[in-house]
Amino acid sequence: MIPRHLLSLLIESVEDSPVILIHGPRQSGKTTLVKHFGEIHDYSYYTFDNQAIRLIAQRDPQGFTSDCADRTIIDEIQRVPELYLTIKESVDQNRQPGRFILTGSSNLLLQTELTDALVGRMEILRLHPLSQREIEQTPTIPFLERLFTGNFKLEKCQRLAHNLRERIVGGGYPPALARQSNRKRSKWYGSYINSVVYRDILNISKIQSIEIIPRLLTAVGNLSAQLFNVSDLSNKLQMNRNTINHYLSLLQHQFLIERLPAWHSNRMKRLIKTPKIHIGDTGLACHLMGVDANILSGNYDLLGQLVESFVFLELKRQASSSEEPYRFYHFRDRDGIEVDMIIERGAFELVGIEIKASSTIFDSDFKGLQKLKSKNPDKFKFGAVLYDGETCASYGENMFIIPIRKLWESNKTLPSI
């Protein structure tokens, strides 16, 4: 089992909250995490993937909840929403911390029945697929913390080069990473998509033309890291805009896509409000588009998109296990000046990140960061261009060029220059 960074937050949560919800995409490692935790801390475990247990809970939710031990894990809680109110009633009678640990493979924050029932009683944790920092198991200071303190120095390291493309294609799903060959990994992804589409999505929405969902997901993969225009996608797929929006909400419900909202500020005018869209995992995106590391080496535009998504997803995954509240945005104005990612911490701190697939940096790469800094001097902490280069170095006050591999490592360096 690869140690998950979310474990530390789970340990803290069971000391304070009677109900802890861990949600995230199917096969991201939720069951492995909670079963490991439960074995150490003496929890009973039930999964509603087991049909017999699911039927018992559906037929008598009050009795099922009453029979639960003082410490109980319920896996895939979204499959029996009848339990939401009975769990509420149970914890109202006994608010002992750590009574229930729930997991869900759908975004349960979108289910008002659950949030309404357990408001004030439940702490929510998000488990993503594996981050590169978890895969490498590097005991480094988290990259986000380093960003907000500007904790970087002049040093050299090796380029990732082909290894970056391999990491993009590999993604972060543990079962996919366990398969060494592209053929075996592709077979797993095919089964995964079928499971999510033909079971999970059909369970929450009895839609017609379910076969459109994989096509839509592939189209989103091709648009990953770009401004998202529903009309363009509607024309491409020859589908009604309302239908596409509904289907996209289902994909977001299953954590298969991520929207990156546009950043806004009263100090900056003519800002574009269109969000960016990212596929939920670059390995899944590569499977849907039928590309591997070798194909990416010959398609620079697609590689650039996927590198941006790769960096965005890595930072989101690291943020989910942090005690600090991080919020993610992108910035673009009507003059074409942009910053790929803006990250806010609290109300008064922000950093900007520009992302490049290349190993070369130009002054123009800092244009958006410089504008962001000049318009927000009191909040701006740091600006970085992440690239696949060899040198980590200052590029002006509070500006740095940083190799992408520094997202997950800080100690595998060549001698300082």
Side-chain angles (χ1 to χ4, degrees), residues 103-382:
T103 80
S105 293
S106 297
N107 189 341
L108 296 180
L109 297 182
L110 302 177
Q111 291 191 9
T112 56
E113 311 98 296
L114 176 67
T115 53
D116 288 349
L118 296 177
V119 61
R121 304 166 179 86
M122 178 174 68
E123 187 160 345
I124 300 166
L125 305 176
R126 167 79 183 271
L127 186 69
H128 294 262
L130 291 166
S131 69
Q132 297 299 311
R133 191 163 172 261
E134 288 173 318
I135 292 170
E136 294 297 320
Q137 300 184 46
T138 50
T140 59
I141 299 172
F143 185 82
L144 283 169
E145 183 178 328
R146 298 180 70 196
L147 269 181
F148 278 86
T149 57
N151 182 18
F152 297 93
K153 63 181 180 179
L154 178 66
E155 58 185 344
K156 284 189 68 98
C157 61
Q158 293 180 338
R159 286 190 62 212
L160 287 167
H162 186 74
N163 183 254
L164 176 58
R165 298 189 289 272
E166 290 283 2
R167 289 174 184 270
I168 289 170
V169 172
Y173 286 101
L177 289 169
R179 289 156 172 79
Q180 298 301 313
S181 73
N182 288 333
R183 180 184 62 82
K184 290 182 178 180
R185 190 180 298 150
S186 181
K187 186 176 180 180
W188 181 86
Y189 273 120
S191 298
Y192 178 79
I193 293 169
N194 284 336
S195 176
V196 172
V197 170
Y198 293 103
R199 187 181 77 167
D200 296 343
I201 289 182
L202 278 178
N203 278 344
I204 61 175
S205 181
K206 305 302 180 183
I207 61 176
Q208 297 178 343
S209 304
I210 189 68
E211 68 279 358
I212 295 295
I213 295 289
R215 285 181 54 206
L216 178 59
L217 192 55
T218 302
V220 171
N222 280 285
L223 295 172
S224 197
Q226 296 187 17
L227 294 179
F228 184 61
N229 188 308
V230 176
S231 296
D232 290 346
L233 194 57
S234 174
N235 293 333
K236 181 177 180 180
L237 296 178
Q238 296 184 330
M239 292 173 59
N240 179 275
R241 286 187 57 179
N242 291 335
T243 301
I244 284 186
N245 278 324
H246 175 56
Y247 285 9
L248 286 171
S249 70
L250 296 177
L251 293 175
Q252 193 167 0
H253 202 281
Q254 299 301 315
F255 303 101
L256 293 177
I257 61 173
E258 298 267 358
R259 296 179 192 262
L260 181 62
W263 186 74
H264 55 86
S265 170
N266 293 331
R267 302 178 182 181
M268 301 180 74
K269 307 300 182 183
R270 295 167 50 80
L271 297 180
I272 290 176
K273 299 180 181 180
T274 307
K276 280 187 175 182
I277 196 162
H278 290 271
I279 200 75
D281 183 82
T282 56
L284 177 63
C286 290
H287 166 77
L288 289 164
M289 293 183 287
V291 300
D292 60 17
N294 291 326
I295 292 174
L296 284 179
S297 66
N299 190 329
Y300 188 78
D301 288 340
L302 182 57
L303 176 62
Q305 291 175 227
L306 290 174
V307 167
E308 185 174 334
S309 288
F310 175 80
V311 171
F312 165 68
L313 293 170
E314 176 66 18
L315 291 175
K316 285 275 286 188
R317 291 169 186 184
Q318 292 188 21
S320 68
S321 59
S322 172
E323 297 178 2
E324 296 285 352
Y326 294 105
R327 298 180 302 278
F328 292 78
Y329 307 91
H330 80 92
F331 153 65
R332 182 179 295 185
D333 65 20
R334 298 189 184 279
D335 297 320
I337 298 175
E338 63 179 328
V339 176
D340 291 330
M341 201 184 316
I342 292 176
I343 307 173
E344 290 186 336
R345 185 173 72 175
F348 304 106
E349 295 181 300
L350 66 84
V351 300
I353 298 176
E354 191 68 14
I355 303 162
K356 303 294 178 184
S358 69
S359 60
T360 306
I361 295 295
F362 300 97
D363 290 345
S364 59
D365 295 329
F366 283 86
K367 188 175 183 179
L369 294 171
Q370 293 289 359
K371 183 169 185 178
L372 183 67
K373 177 183 177 180
S374 67
K375 298 294 185 180
N376 302 272
D378 52 337
K379 296 179 65 174
F380 187 90
K381 302 293 291 184
F382 198 72

